[in-house]
Amino acid sequence: MRAAVFEGKEQIFHIVKEGETIGAVPVFSGKSFPANARAISKSHLLFFPREKFINLITNNPSLTMNILAVLSMRLREFTIQVENLSLKEIPGRLAAYLLYLSEEQGDKDVIKLNISKLQLANILGTGPESLSRALGNMKNRKLVEEEGTNIRLVNRGALESLAEDGKSSG
């Protein structure tokens, strides 16, 4: 999990999955990154010294292209996250994130929430109470059903509209 703390409030930027990289920006810029990473489950990490890594990618253009693809994808994700945080209300952010999880997990109608509600609130840039209200409202409107750590997307079309519009209409 990559996160930063601003004025005592944590903002989660990205949940890193198995096989993904962290710390690529400082490798290229030579400067520290303004966020930190924290394991939320048992993890094994590999560290590559900057000089050796630069040598490796200099001599392996296909590896360099793969790293550029990953960094481009992350930049796109961060751009969407900034848009969501600045332009969408909490229900729209939640709908967008649930649809993202559905796509990430294979376009399933039942998604597994693999993080805590507090972590989800931090991703969405809100507090746990506001998240609970937004989720409760979605359940009342029959958009989703909650079954433990699983969330069933009952009305995908309405969730897509909410995610696109960014505002709760009910």
Side-chain angles (χ1 to χ4, degrees):
M1 169 178 77
R2 290 191 326 186
V5 178
F6 304 103
E7 298 177 6
K9 183 178 176 195
E10 182 177 64
Q11 174 64 55
I12 296 177
F13 294 134
H14 184 72
I15 303 290
V16 180
K17 294 171 189 57
E18 185 177 338
E20 290 185 352
T21 61
I22 60 172
V25 172
V27 167
F28 293 106
S29 71
K31 298 179 181 174
S32 65
F33 196 68
N36 62 52
R38 180 175 60 223
I40 57 176
S41 62
K42 186 174 180 172
S43 303
H44 296 280
L45 302 175
L46 298 174
F47 171 79
F48 295 93
R50 182 175 190 263
E51 298 77 26
K52 289 185 179 185
F53 189 73
I54 295 293
N55 270 344
L56 180 65
I57 62 173
T58 300
N59 296 316
N60 192 336
S62 64
L63 178 60
T64 305
M65 291 304 292
N66 286 338
I67 291 170
L68 284 173
V70 168
L71 290 175
S72 297
M73 180 187 68
R74 292 242 178 98
L75 179 59
R76 183 178 185 282
E77 288 173 358
F78 286 142
T79 303
I80 291 168
Q81 188 174 24
V82 167
E83 177 186 5
N84 287 342
L85 290 171
S86 60
L87 301 177
K88 293 183 180 178
E89 294 176 1
I90 296 161
R93 292 182 224 162
L94 177 57
Y97 191 75
L98 293 176
L99 291 167
Y100 163 78
L101 285 179
S102 171
E103 182 179 314
E104 184 181 69
Q105 294 178 16
D107 281 325
K108 295 180 179 175
D109 285 333
V110 177
I111 57 174
K112 176 103 175 132
L113 193 59
N114 294 320
I115 57 175
S116 71
K117 295 258 177 89
L118 177 60
Q119 290 166 335
L120 177 57
N122 287 338
I123 288 171
L124 298 177
T126 191
E129 300 83 9
S130 297
L131 172 64
S132 288
R133 279 193 298 275
L135 188 57
N137 183 274
M138 286 182 171
K139 289 191 282 191
N140 290 340
R141 293 174 57 198
K142 307 283 190 239
L143 302 180
V144 298
E145 294 173 353
E146 193 174 14
E147 305 154 358
T149 60
N150 292 330
I151 298 176
R152 179 181 300 279
L153 309 183
V154 176
N155 188 338
R156 185 179 286 269
L159 283 171
E160 288 170 348
S161 294
L162 179 56
E164 181 69 28
D165 182 42
K167 294 185 177 110
S168 180
S169 60

